[in-house]
Amino acid sequence: MFYPPKRILMGPGPSDVDPLVLKAMAAPLIGHLDPAFLNLMDNIQQLLRKLFETNNRLTLPISATGSAGMEAAFVNLIEPGDSVTVCVNGVFGERMSDIVVRSGGTLSRVETSWGKGPDVDAIRESLLLNHPKILAVVHAETSTGVLTHLSKIRELLNEFPETLLLVDCVTSLGGHSVGVDQYQVDFAYGGTQKCLSCPPGLAPITVSDRALEAIHSRKRKVQSWYLDLSMVENYWGDNRTYHHTAPISMNYALYESLRIIHEEGLEQRWNRHHKNHLAFVAGIEAMGLEMLVKSRDRLWSLNTVKIPDGISDGIVRAKLLERFGIEIGGGLGPLKDKIWRVGLMGTSSQKKNVLLFLNALEEILTEEGLVLEKNAGITAAERIYV
Ligand SMILES: *Cc1c(COP(=O)(O)O)cnc(C)c1O
């Protein structure tokens, strides 16, 4: 058997998993068409609708990781030649662009520098020029820590009622409100290992009636057999037609994590993520460090800290892992060696993790030669909690 080392997962995902979720995964298997499993599927769908804040009938977990949710969105909605506008301000906007091209779409990119939110005027220009079938945005850009304000995107799209809104909620779902119905999102997807605190393996999606109509009226079959929602929906819908074998244990885990989420309450959960984020930022700034993102565009679930001059990214992260068992992420692409990415997602979003991290970082940075006021970070963070 493999015995993993004990870790505190404060990176860009996966996050720490509640022991109850792990226990759920160890339950005996039943068949994917067993009436008890079908009943579990219904319950999962109901809890996912609550989580996405939607009444969309087509709401289910795709049997694969978050990237499959992304791929499902594009391959189902795009027919060859369809125009698609993607807002790119990090790794996941880049990944969307790649999938659009692979799916035969005609891509227009609206780029903003990494660490900034999308520019609404630039998006409007692209929409006026291209009248795309789809506008795609990343709600929570995990590579930079930037939140896209969906209210502004919705307001803009009201000028372009034909365009479908596609939103990546992988790092926001369960940590921030996503408001699928409120913002009339046509296709949203998440992943289990970020703010849901479940192992990686499923990608919850929700699809508006309007987007479903677009899928049903396609002229050509979806190029991906596995992700073709017109078939997947028959297994998750009333017909229960076999499509693929649902990953049984992963669905046990998802159900338990959704149960835990709704037991806590969505509002309470978002507030918890917000508070721990505020305490984290207060601590970081009191230590004299800087956040990458300006305050109103910051994610609560993924915090990006600028690495101080003269400090080695690799040494600090290795010491955090070896000495404290804390995993955080480094920067990607243009932000490599420039930022740390500290996740406070789901179960990992806890006061004790914030304090432990600030304490560990102070100790390591002091060793690495920075002159820091003793306990300044923790003291500032504690003040947020009183
Ligand atoms: C993690 C992530 C994904 C990809 O999810 P995987 O589970 O790694 O496939 C997609 N989008 C965003 C914003 C993410 O953070």
Side-chain angles (χ1 to χ4, degrees):
M1 194 152 115
F2 173 66
Y3 293 95
K6 207 160 162 46
R7 301 291 193 220
I8 298 167
L9 298 179
M10 298 178 72
S15 59
D16 281 333
V17 175
D18 192 299
L20 287 173
V21 173
L22 295 176
K23 195 172 162 202
M25 295 183 81
L29 284 199
I30 56 176
H32 63 283
L33 293 170
D34 188 305
F37 190 73
L38 300 179
N39 188 44
L40 176 72
M41 291 165 69
D42 287 341
N43 290 334
I44 287 174
Q45 288 183 285
Q46 209 40 51
L47 296 177
L48 281 179
R49 289 186 189 104
K50 259 174 88 178
L51 179 68
F52 276 116
E53 304 161 67
T54 185
N55 291 314
N56 287 340
R57 189 179 59 78
L58 187 56
T59 303
L60 54 82
I62 295 282
S63 304
T65 69
S67 303
M70 184 189 287
E71 191 133 24
F74 289 110
V75 298
N76 280 279
L77 289 175
I78 296 177
E79 291 198 69
D82 282 346
S83 166
V84 182
T85 296
V86 177
C87 298
V88 182
N89 59 345
V91 165
F92 295 100
E94 286 292 349
R95 188 174 297 181
M96 283 176 157
S97 303
D98 188 359
I99 295 177
V100 167
V101 173
R102 288 167 189 251
S103 310
T106 303
L107 171 70
S108 323
R109 292 158 59 99
V110 181
E111 295 189 44
T112 336
S113 62
W114 290 33
K116 296 211 166 63
D119 173 352
V120 172
D121 292 329
I123 303 172
R124 181 183 288 107
E125 257 174 56
S126 175
L127 296 180
L128 280 171
L129 192 66
N130 303 299
H131 285 279
K133 178 177 182 179
I134 302 162
L135 171 68
V137 301
V138 178
H139 189 212
E141 186 40 90
T142 320
S143 60
T144 63
V146 168
L147 175 75
T148 293
H149 298 281
L150 293 179
S151 55
K152 288 194 189 151
I153 301 292
R154 181 68 262 161
E155 211 174 290
L156 169 64
L157 270 190
N158 288 341
E159 300 168 30
F160 302 88
E162 303 300 312
T163 299
L164 297 170
L165 175 57
L166 192 163
V167 180
D168 179 320
C169 301
V170 176
T171 290
S172 49
L173 190 65
H176 285 256
S177 169
V178 295
V180 164
D181 283 0
Q182 184 184 354
Y183 301 121
Q184 298 163 54
V185 176
D186 292 292
F187 201 123
Y189 58 87
T192 40
Q193 79 275 26
K194 312 262 168 115
C195 297
L196 307 192
S197 277
C198 198
L202 292 174
I205 63 163
T206 188
V207 185
S208 72
D209 289 345
R210 178 165 99 115
L212 190 56
E213 217 174 279
I215 295 171
H216 287 161
S217 58
R218 290 177 63 99
K219 292 186 193 71
R220 297 189 188 205
K221 278 187 173 181
V222 172
Q223 137 270 318
S224 163
W225 180 89
Y226 190 67
L227 297 174
D228 183 343
L229 287 176
S230 65
M231 294 194 287
V232 174
E233 72 171 337
N234 284 332
Y235 173 49
W236 283 85
D238 297 333
N239 298 340
R240 304 299 187 180
T241 315
Y242 164 69
H243 176 254
H244 64 277
T245 311
I248 306 293
S249 310
M250 271 311 300
N251 279 283
Y252 296 167
L254 176 59
Y255 174 75
E256 184 58 16
S257 84
L258 291 169
R259 196 196 60 73
I260 292 169
I261 288 169
H262 293 302
E263 186 177 73
E264 178 177 15
L266 285 179
E267 295 270 351
Q268 285 84 342
R269 193 175 176 89
W270 302 330
N271 290 340
R272 171 164 63 81
H273 281 79
H274 190 198
K275 184 146 227 180
N276 289 325
H277 159 75
L278 291 177
F280 178 90
V281 172
I284 287 297
E285 291 179 343
M287 287 169 71
L289 305 187
E290 249 184 285
M291 299 293 289
L292 172 72
V293 180
K294 69 172 196 247
S295 68
R296 51 182 297 280
D297 295 338
R298 282 177 199 152
L299 286 174
W300 306 338
S301 43
L302 194 282
N303 300 272
T304 45
V305 181
K306 290 189 191 169
I307 300 178
D309 284 342
I311 295 295
S312 151
D313 170 37
I315 291 177
V316 171
R317 282 195 291 128
K319 285 187 172 183
L320 280 169
L321 192 68
E322 284 158 20
R323 196 179 306 165
F324 298 93
I326 296 175
E327 175 182 283
I328 66 165
L332 301 173
L335 295 173
K336 186 170 160 33
D337 297 324
K338 298 209 163 65
I339 59 165
W340 288 308
R341 295 185 298 149
V342 184
L344 290 169
M345 301 181 186
T347 304
S348 294
S349 174
Q350 288 192 38
K351 178 180 174 181
K352 70 171 189 204
N353 284 351
V354 171
L355 298 180
L356 177 68
F357 175 80
L358 292 170
N359 196 39
L361 188 64
E362 181 186 301
E363 179 177 311
I364 294 168
L365 289 179
T366 304
E367 264 174 31
E368 295 301 307
L370 284 197
V371 181
L372 299 173
E373 187 192 329
K374 192 139 182 55
N375 291 336
I378 307 194
T379 309
E382 286 275 20
R383 232 176 272 134
I384 300 291
Y385 292 110
V386 293

